[in-house]
Amino acid sequence: MIYNRAVEQKFKKLVLEAFGKRVVSLLYFGTRAFVGAICDSDYDLMLILNKHNPSDIFKLRKICQGKQFKGLDLNVNFIYLSDIKARGYKNFQLRSLRTDFYNYLESAIVLIGRNIFKQNPTKTSRRILVDLMDFKIQEHYGRCDKMLLQNITEKTLCKNIRKYVKGIIRFILIRENIMTIKDITKYSFKDVFDLAVGNKIFEPTIATKFTFLLKDSSSRKDLEVLESIRRSVYKTYLSLYSKNL
């Protein structure tokens, strides 16, 4: 099911006007695309053009900063097909996002062109996948530490920490072979919560707190609860990690 069609269609129209036939792919992915609009999810889009032109980034910047997208969490990823081919599909990397992100994009919704990731699928060994999940869990956990020490409102902190803790829980389930990367595209957090509880990955006292991650919390007290959940989830991860050493 596709959600938020107004936003995606506006962006699609502007991209076609700016880049025309040079667009190889415009993909829509993420929680809003796959499992519905929730308050702490970005609008995740990926634009792939055929090859570099110096004016591209500035054209795209103008689109993203347009008044029609003001106040929205518009997360646009941008890359060239020529650059992807130069490294090879199996070596694809966008920022710190590696093979697992590639597999995730294989299920992305096509707005323009074709899904080059689905057309060129990759296989990831179990060992590499576990290493990638370890990296992402640690990265998400560290992001929360950094934000908590910045001058950010409780409302913004609650929004972002909810997002990253839910991500960590998903990564733990993938790491433990309970769900796959592609399952992220079809499972709501309620589904993930049920999987975590059903497979007894977390202690019951921790699992019962997961419903709090579904609330639109924003106060200092809410932040303290979220921080407690974050730490409990991370301690569970460390216990699982130590068993693999």
Side-chain angles (χ1 to χ4, degrees):
M1 186 178 294
I2 305 175
Y3 296 82
N4 306 297
R5 295 201 64 91
V7 172
E8 70 176 53
Q9 292 304 315
K10 285 180 183 178
F11 192 82
K12 172 182 175 179
K13 180 176 181 293
L14 292 170
V15 163
L16 282 172
E17 289 174 356
F19 303 108
K21 294 182 179 180
R22 294 187 56 225
V23 180
V24 175
S25 304
L26 177 60
L27 305 177
Y28 185 35
F29 60 97
T31 306
R32 283 188 183 270
F34 296 126
V35 295
I38 58 174
C39 61
D40 56 356
S41 295
D42 301 331
Y43 294 86
D44 292 305
L45 296 153
M46 171 166 280
L47 174 63
I48 303 172
L49 297 181
N50 55 357
K51 59 183 179 180
H52 178 261
N53 184 298
S55 65
D56 290 339
I57 194 69
F58 299 103
K59 288 182 180 179
L60 188 56
R61 173 183 168 85
K62 183 177 180 181
I63 293 172
C64 294
Q65 293 184 342
K67 61 182 180 180
Q68 60 267 60
F69 303 122
K70 186 176 181 180
L72 298 178
D73 291 327
L74 193 65
N75 180 24
V76 180
N77 302 275
F78 176 47
I79 197 165
Y80 292 104
L81 180 61
S82 58
D83 291 349
I84 295 174
K85 288 183 174 180
R87 285 196 60 170
Y89 286 101
K90 67 178 182 179
N91 298 316
F92 174 82
Q93 182 174 343
L94 182 69
R95 300 187 302 279
S96 63
L97 306 172
R98 304 185 189 183
T99 309
D100 59 312
F101 186 61
Y102 188 108
N103 297 146
Y104 182 50
L105 289 173
E106 290 175 19
S107 300
I109 297 162
V110 178
L111 300 181
I112 304 174
R114 64 189 192 278
N115 188 333
I116 64 167
F117 305 102
K118 185 176 182 179
Q119 290 178 336
N120 298 277
T122 62
K123 292 184 178 180
T124 305
S125 72
R126 186 70 202 156
R127 180 66 259 169
I128 291 176
L129 183 62
V130 169
D131 287 344
L132 288 167
M133 293 304 104
D134 286 338
F135 174 87
K136 293 180 76 68
I137 290 167
Q138 195 66 37
E139 194 264 347
H140 271 38
Y141 185 80
R143 282 193 190 188
C144 294
D145 279 339
K146 183 176 181 179
M147 285 188 299
L148 282 162
L149 298 176
Q150 294 176 330
N151 187 15
I152 302 174
T153 65
E154 274 81 8
K155 182 178 181 179
T156 301
L157 280 171
C158 285
K159 170 186 173 180
N160 286 308
I161 290 177
R162 275 200 312 271
K163 173 182 175 180
Y164 289 125
V165 172
K166 287 192 284 187
I168 290 172
I169 293 170
R170 289 188 181 98
F171 299 148
I172 289 174
L173 294 184
I174 293 171
R175 186 186 192 278
E176 296 304 303
N177 208 22
I178 292 170
M179 61 183 284
T180 68
I181 291 170
K182 291 183 180 180
D183 285 338
I184 296 175
T185 66
K186 61 184 179 181
Y187 288 167
S188 67
F189 182 70
K190 180 61 168 57
D191 296 327
V192 173
F193 165 71
D194 291 341
L195 279 173
V197 172
N199 286 274
K200 299 180 180 180
I201 293 296
F202 299 92
E203 294 292 332
T205 53
I206 300 172
T208 54
K209 296 179 181 178
F210 287 171
T211 53
F212 190 82
L213 297 171
L214 300 174
K215 298 179 180 178
D216 188 12
S217 49
S218 60
S219 69
R220 172 61 183 268
K221 186 176 180 180
D222 293 334
L223 183 59
E224 291 176 357
V225 175
L226 286 169
E227 172 58 11
S228 173
I229 296 171
R230 180 179 77 111
R231 184 61 195 175
S232 296
V233 168
Y234 187 64
K235 285 179 68 177
T236 297
Y237 161 68
L238 290 177
S239 177
L240 294 168
Y241 181 85
S242 65
K243 291 178 182 178
N244 295 135
L245 297 178

